[in-house]
Amino acid sequence: MNDISTRPVPDNSAPFQRLHPLSIVLKSMGTLGQNVFAILILHFSLFDQNIVYSMLAALTLITLVFGVTTLIWSRFTYQVTTREIRIKSGLLNRNNRSISFDRIQDVSLEQKLVSRLLGLATVALETGSGGGEDGQLDALARTDAEKLRDTIRDYKAGLTIGNDGADDKPVTADAPPLFAMDNRRIFIAGLFKFSFVLLAILGALAQNLDFLLPGGFFNPRSWIDAFPEQDTINGFSSWVRIGGALAAILSLVMIGFISGVVRTFVREYGFRLDRVDSGQPGFRRRRGLFTLTDMVMPIHRVQAAILQTGPVRARFGWYHLKFTSLAGDAGGETDHSAAPCASLTEIEPILDECAIHQARADLMFQWVNSAFWWRRAIIASLLLTSIALGTGLLVHSGLFAIILLGAPVSLISYLNWRQHQYALTDSQIYVRSGWWRRKLTILPLRKIQTVDVSQSPLDHPLNLATVTIGIAGGSPVRPVMIKNIDFDQAMSLRNRLITQTTNIPTAD
């Protein structure tokens, strides 16, 4: 910890500054974009397609939005002293806020497409108090944003700025990245991100703009009736029709793959992970095609490592490395991507920076009780049988076939059980879960904060229990859990984790 008493007294004489004037345009355009549909609806409904009324409404909206945005911009000012940043905001209710550099844990920069073209950036400050960013400056010149970020990092590192404006950091050459992805690697990663998001976007646009579409657009029968060769289609054999249905399914699959690749390129384009030693040692991650994000995650805030893969990806040796961290990014995520598509050889040096180690080849993993799968299979089969009997007797006899779904459900439960394993070493615990979405969580024992043993009503007859391991920054929705192990074994594991955790010195 740096000695605060040796630092200079805050310079309260620093001038208050405003955001870049172009932020008025960016904010206004964003607000207007959200009201385009409202103007269109008014044009086709209330104004009965009267272009004059619609133009007057649009002009009034533009004037109102730009006027209010300008007033808000004029009332937003910030001051950067030697030890804190002060923000004054509010149009009617004024808010004066001070954020000490000592409290700031992370500083990240973000540039959307328009901001990149205009040379602007958003600075997000995170203090670790929860709720994502604790302070945000929406539109600064890129150079000013980088200067503010470096000022905070230098303060955290105990560096001072001389009278000549140059700091005492040695200038080093740009080191090679810990990990980076070229376009080929991004394409490979996109193939494993199957998604129907593109189809969903097109469907949502069609639903919202249905008043612009011809009648019967969503009725398949109207399309069939409009086809000039309908008699020819009716004359096709059943095999040809089946082939057409398979071609339609294949088209949907292709759309899913294309959507996954497009989403991955937009998110991961230019992905680069570097180690930075300015301020507190950490990882600097830059990525994004339209929205460029530049964030730094201090190494001491990394709580656990997560290796994600799947049965297909694993055969090709591809894994997705994430870090569970105390820091939250702009989306509120606590699991930060460090290597979206990497081999284990590429992942190893990244983990070494955090003193986290991959599982040895000879490490023995323990399976949980087989009740993990057969109990779920029985419950699913009983539920499907009830649904099949009810719908088959009341609706149609063909619905009795629903009971056949019990076979794949039981198979998936069995495969998930085969993957749900754990292993404990002197310094780490490893937890595997999932068959299709395989996840290996690596928890350093020094980061564990709580270990809970619980039993559900179904666990008591079989004397089983679930061990839930809590870490700072971990997701409350998806905690690290070891399910369906013997109660005595769960208590023994709990005692070992607590004992070994207290005997390991903190390495932060």
Side-chain angles (χ1 to χ4, degrees), residues 60-171:
T60 301
L61 177 63
I62 292 173
T63 303
L64 180 63
V65 169
F66 269 90
V68 173
T69 305
T70 302
L71 286 175
I72 295 175
W73 171 83
S74 66
R75 300 290 285 169
F76 187 100
T77 58
Y78 69 96
Q79 178 192 44
V80 181
T81 71
T82 55
R83 290 178 58 174
E84 66 181 3
I85 179 171
R86 299 174 178 178
I87 300 175
K88 294 182 179 181
S89 61
L91 190 57
L92 298 178
N93 297 324
R94 298 293 290 166
N95 180 31
N96 295 286
R97 190 174 188 190
S98 298
I99 304 177
S100 171
F101 290 167
D102 290 305
R103 292 180 53 239
I104 295 176
Q105 300 292 336
D106 296 285
V107 184
S108 60
L109 304 185
E110 181 180 286
Q111 284 185 292
K112 297 184 183 299
L113 178 60
V114 178
S115 298
R116 293 173 67 180
L117 295 175
L118 298 176
L120 304 178
T122 295
V123 180
L125 310 174
E126 199 267 318
T127 64
S129 59
E133 291 88 20
D134 299 288
Q136 184 167 298
L137 302 176
D138 282 326
L140 299 179
R142 172 77 187 193
T143 54
D144 293 338
E146 292 177 344
K147 181 179 179 181
L148 175 58
R149 179 189 62 188
D150 294 340
T151 297
I152 297 174
R153 289 183 185 170
D154 292 347
Y155 177 89
K156 304 289 285 186
L159 302 177
T160 59
I161 298 178
N163 296 328
D164 59 352
D167 60 29
D168 58 2
K169 290 184 302 181
V171 179

Side-chain angles (χ1 to χ4, degrees), residues 82 195 324 376 410 448 506:
T82 55
S195 171
T324 298
R376 296 184 181 187
S410 300
I448 294 177
T506 303

Side-chain angles (χ1 to χ4, degrees), residues 173-471:
D174 189 18
L178 281 174
F179 178 76
M181 295 202 303
D182 55 15
N183 291 338
R184 175 180 175 274
R185 183 69 65 88
I186 296 174
F187 177 78
I188 293 174
L191 293 177
F192 300 108
K193 299 290 184 181
F194 187 87
S195 171
F196 282 124
V197 64
L198 181 60
L199 196 63
I201 292 174
L202 294 176
L205 289 175
Q207 288 288 347
N208 285 280
L209 300 177
D210 57 350
F211 54 87
L212 299 176
L213 300 176
F217 183 83
F218 294 101
N219 186 0
R221 176 56 59 184
S222 63
W223 285 91
I224 295 176
D225 294 339
F227 198 83
E229 302 295 335
Q230 181 179 353
D231 294 337
T232 304
I233 294 178
N234 293 334
F236 286 156
S237 65
S238 58
W239 287 108
V240 174
R241 296 185 182 183
I242 292 175
L246 292 176
I249 295 174
L250 181 61
S251 299
L252 290 176
V253 173
M254 291 301 299
I255 291 176
F257 278 113
I258 293 173
S259 297
V261 172
V262 171
R263 287 185 64 194
T264 305
F265 262 96
V266 170
R267 183 179 178 87
E268 309 293 355
Y269 181 80
F271 188 98
R272 179 186 174 103
L273 185 75
D274 297 278
R275 177 186 166 92
V276 292
D277 293 311
S278 172
Q280 297 172 330
F283 298 111
R284 181 185 182 188
R285 186 191 67 194
R286 286 167 284 183
R287 65 177 180 178
L289 180 60
F290 300 126
T291 299
L292 174 63
T293 58
D294 185 344
M295 68 160 290
V296 173
M297 178 174 53
I299 290 177
H300 78 277
R301 306 198 78 195
V302 173
Q303 304 297 301
I306 299 173
L307 283 175
Q308 295 179 336
T309 186
V312 179
R313 275 190 293 176
R315 286 191 67 87
F316 290 97
W318 298 120
Y319 296 84
H320 186 173
L321 172 63
K322 291 184 175 183
F323 286 127
T324 298
S325 172
L326 291 172
D329 63 9
E333 296 179 347
T334 55
D335 293 342
H336 300 278
S337 291
C341 185
S343 65
L344 293 178
T345 304
E346 294 170 322
I347 288 174
E348 186 173 1
I350 304 176
L351 292 177
D352 288 342
E353 296 289 341
C354 307
I356 297 177
H357 309 289
Q358 298 186 47
R360 302 188 310 271
D362 59 347
L363 182 62
M364 297 296 296
F365 279 81
Q366 301 185 50
W367 287 348
V368 300
N369 193 285
S370 60
F372 180 95
W373 78 270
W374 60 255
R375 190 167 56 182
R376 296 184 181 187
I378 291 176
I379 294 175
S381 298
L382 292 176
L383 181 61
L384 290 172
T385 300
S386 301
I387 296 174
L389 291 175
T391 56
L393 294 174
L394 299 177
V395 182
H396 190 275
S397 59
L399 295 177
F400 283 119
I402 292 178
I403 197 174
L404 299 177
L405 294 176
V409 170
S410 300
L411 177 60
I412 293 175
S413 298
Y414 175 79
L415 294 174
N416 286 334
W417 167 67
R418 296 283 297 182
Q419 285 294 323
H420 192 49
Q421 305 171 0
Y422 70 96
L424 179 64
T425 66
D426 293 336
S427 60
Q428 297 180 156
I429 184 170
Y430 303 82
V431 181
R432 288 175 174 167
S433 62
W435 170 73
W436 183 252
R437 295 183 177 180
R438 300 179 183 179
K439 182 169 73 170
L440 171 62
T441 303
I442 308 175
L443 288 174
L445 299 185
R446 67 181 185 277
K447 299 291 186 178
I448 294 177
Q449 293 193 338
T450 61
V451 183
D452 297 330
V453 176
S454 60
Q455 288 183 294
S456 70
L458 296 178
D459 289 334
H460 285 287
L462 300 175
N463 196 34
L464 299 179
T466 295
V467 177
T468 303
I469 304 173
I471 56 175

